[in-house]
Amino acid sequence: ADLRSMVSLALVYPRLTLLLQIDAARFFSILTVAFDASSSTTHLSELTAILLSVVVDRRLPPDSTQVSRNTQWPFDSVQQGLLLMFVSRYLSRGMVEVDSYSRQRVTAYLLDSLDHSTRFDREDALLELVQNDAMGSSTPSAFYNAEILSRAVDARMFKVAEFFYHKKRSFRELINCHVLHRDFHPNLFSFLNTLLSPPSAIVASSSPSKSPLSSSTP
């Protein structure tokens, strides 16, 4: 679609567009309360699809880490980013369904290593997605996970990297993640003590329902 037809979607929903342009953060804060109270996934998915079609610049490639380069687009990068963060919340909970393009845009935004001001919020959102296996990729899991892991390391999202390294039992990389991420620091010595304990001691002290390192995983 050309720019004119894309902008016209915002014109179809003038009140929605106005609310988003006045205070997008407040709008999504209120909408979060409504979504959390809803039990209709079909209705939520329909509303999410409308929001995405109005707010997100679909002229960009699906794996673009830039929210929008189009200065003529009616929504700026902050407003689009707030929506993508909002969508990731409900994708991870299995409460909405979106098309493949939108899923890729959500993932690309969360991994955007250029936006340092929102890095920790984006990291937590991405971790929730991967923990709940809500990425929705059609790519073979091993390849796709390796790509996400590589990009997470580049973006210094070590909580996400730790999740994958824990599954792979890559102990050297696990230690690096715990050293490099501030959220792991309070339990760093406990983690290292568990990691360096003899296997028999680890098994004896572990709950049957948890792995020896499960307490270190966010």
Side-chain angles (χ1 to χ4, degrees):
D2 60 22
L3 178 59
R4 183 177 304 173
S5 64
M6 296 302 294
V7 171
S8 69
L9 291 177
L11 299 178
V12 171
Y13 301 95
R15 294 177 182 175
L16 174 61
T17 299
L18 181 60
L19 287 172
L20 285 164
Q21 290 176 335
I22 291 174
D23 193 341
R26 179 64 175 164
F27 175 86
F28 287 116
S29 177
I30 294 172
L31 199 60
T32 295
V33 175
F35 267 51
D36 287 348
S38 177
S39 59
S40 173
T41 56
T42 300
H43 178 68
L44 297 184
S45 294
E46 290 173 351
L47 181 53
T48 300
I50 292 172
L51 287 167
L52 287 166
S53 66
V54 170
V55 177
V56 174
D57 186 354
R58 296 178 73 96
R59 290 164 57 91
L60 294 176
D63 60 348
S64 173
T65 58
Q66 298 299 313
V67 175
S68 180
R69 301 186 189 91
N70 184 359
T71 58
Q72 309 254 337
W73 194 251
F75 300 99
D76 62 27
S77 60
V78 172
Q79 293 162 337
Q80 292 185 60
L82 286 169
L83 171 59
L84 295 173
M85 283 284 291
F86 175 84
V87 173
S88 75
R89 174 187 178 95
Y90 295 101
L91 279 176
S92 66
R93 298 181 181 187
M95 293 176 64
V96 299
E97 289 292 333
V98 300
D99 59 83
S100 177
Y101 174 88
S102 296
R103 281 184 180 272
Q104 291 181 69
R105 287 300 303 275
V106 167
T107 304
Y109 172 72
L110 296 180
L111 284 163
D112 184 358
S113 59
L114 300 178
D115 186 3
H116 298 295
S117 65
T118 61
R119 178 164 67 87
F120 293 111
D121 289 338
R122 289 185 289 104
E123 180 177 27
D124 287 341
L126 181 60
L127 179 62
E128 192 173 356
L129 279 177
V130 298
Q131 285 178 330
N132 290 287
D133 195 24
M135 304 300 289
S137 172
S138 59
T139 317
S141 179
F143 175 82
Y144 192 66
N145 287 346
E147 180 186 3
I148 296 297
L149 171 57
S150 175
R151 293 175 65 184
V153 171
D154 289 342
R156 300 186 63 80
M157 293 184 172
F158 295 114
K159 286 169 69 175
V160 176
E162 195 266 0
F163 172 80
F164 289 112
Y165 287 137
H166 187 280
K167 292 179 67 175
K168 295 169 63 178
R169 301 191 69 78
S170 301
F171 297 119
R172 178 181 298 178
E173 288 80 6
L174 267 175
I175 292 173
N176 286 338
C177 290
H178 280 254
V179 169
L180 292 170
H181 200 291
R182 64 182 186 181
D183 284 6
F184 292 128
H185 290 174
N187 299 312
L188 180 58
F189 289 106
S190 175
F191 165 76
L192 292 174
N193 184 59
T194 301
L195 195 64
L196 297 174
S197 298
S200 58
I202 295 176
V203 172
S205 64
S206 299
S207 166
S209 63
K210 295 182 179 181
S211 71
L213 301 178
S214 61
S215 62
S216 68
T217 305

